[in-house]
Amino acid sequence: MSETAKNTPDDLHDVNAEQAAAEDIAAEANAAEHEDVVIEDPITALEAEVAELKDRLLRQAAEVENTRRRAKKDVEDAGNYAITKFARELLDVGDNLRRALDAAGDTSNADPAMKTLFEGVEMTEQTLLKALEKNGVEKLEPLGEKLDPNKHQAVFEMPNPDYPDGHVAQVMQAGYMLKGRLLRPAMVGVTKNPPAEQAPKDDTPGGNVDTSA
């Protein structure tokens, strides 16, 4: 009879029991190991979650602050520059008053009615300028200043020995700023002097030696 045939049902039952016991021991070990991991993981996970929530909170707080600042600036800009269109229209009125005064020229010898008219137009211009200034509109009179493309619009170039090149030699139309923002650039003529005459001969010994030979 073979060895296999000698195994009785009782022997097979014992083998199965041993296998089952070994499996239970392995399962208990795995459960214990898993239990240790479970005990450690929640702490790490909570710490990571707290750090993530803290980062989110800081980001959202910064975003809320930026939004608040932008909204505040928008409100301030709306208040400061709400009169932009109206102010530009008033500038045309001021320009016409100035043209009338310039066209009148010297009125010292004019008749009293003409002088009165001239003085009235002049007072009207001054009142308008004061009203504009009171509302944050500043007049630009850049004569003699270096050309600033952010404030001046160069219309032509002209020689003028009184000013260096690139400086405003003539103001065709005044410019204006509204609370630090350009309302209208000044239209100007810019100095461009001709090249200097040929340098005088050098009288020092050895100066201006002809080396063409």
Side-chain angles (χ1 to χ4, degrees):
M1 182 179 294
S2 64
E3 188 68 24
T4 304
K6 293 179 180 180
N7 289 334
T8 64
D10 293 336
D11 294 335
L12 293 175
H13 178 75
D14 293 339
V15 171
N16 291 335
E18 290 177 358
Q19 290 178 349
E23 290 176 357
D24 290 341
I25 293 172
E28 290 177 0
N30 289 334
E33 182 179 356
H34 179 68
E35 185 177 356
D36 291 340
V37 173
V38 170
I39 292 174
E40 294 177 0
D41 280 350
I43 297 175
T44 305
L46 285 174
E47 289 178 348
E49 186 175 355
V50 168
E52 183 180 356
L53 290 174
K54 184 178 180 180
D55 182 66
R56 283 185 186 178
L57 181 61
L58 292 175
R59 289 176 182 273
Q60 290 178 356
E63 189 172 331
V64 169
E65 179 64 17
N66 290 335
T67 302
R68 185 188 68 81
R69 289 179 180 177
R70 285 195 297 268
K72 182 179 178 182
K73 187 176 185 304
D74 290 342
V75 171
E76 291 177 351
D77 289 347
N80 289 334
Y81 307 116
I83 65 169
T84 298
K85 183 178 179 181
F86 179 65
R88 285 200 180 104
E89 292 176 353
L90 288 181
L91 297 185
D92 294 334
V93 177
D95 292 339
N96 290 332
L97 291 173
R98 174 42 49 186
R99 291 188 186 101
L101 293 171
D102 291 341
D106 184 12
T107 60
S108 58
N109 297 322
D111 58 83
M114 184 64 182
K115 285 185 179 181
T116 302
L117 177 61
F118 181 87
E119 290 172 358
V121 174
E122 191 172 31
M123 289 178 62
T124 302
E125 182 195 33
Q126 293 301 320
T127 302
L128 176 61
L129 291 177
K130 287 180 181 179
L132 290 172
E133 185 177 354
K134 185 178 179 180
N135 286 275
V137 179
E138 177 188 0
K139 188 176 183 180
L140 298 178
E141 294 279 10
L143 183 64
E145 296 180 6
K146 187 175 181 180
L147 181 68
D148 184 352
N150 296 318
K151 297 179 180 179
H152 312 146
Q153 181 179 347
V155 180
F156 58 89
E157 295 178 336
M158 60 181 291
N160 191 321
D162 294 335
Y163 303 108
D165 286 359
H167 284 62
V168 177
Q170 184 176 347
V171 179
M172 303 295 295
Q173 186 181 67
Y176 291 87
M177 301 284 292
L178 174 58
K179 295 185 178 180
R181 180 183 292 182
L182 185 66
L183 188 61
R184 186 182 75 183
M187 299 178 66
V188 300
V190 183
T191 304
K192 186 175 182 181
N193 293 310
E197 296 295 330
Q198 186 176 356
K201 293 183 179 180
D202 188 0
D203 294 332
T204 58
N208 293 320
V209 178
D210 185 4
T211 58
S212 59

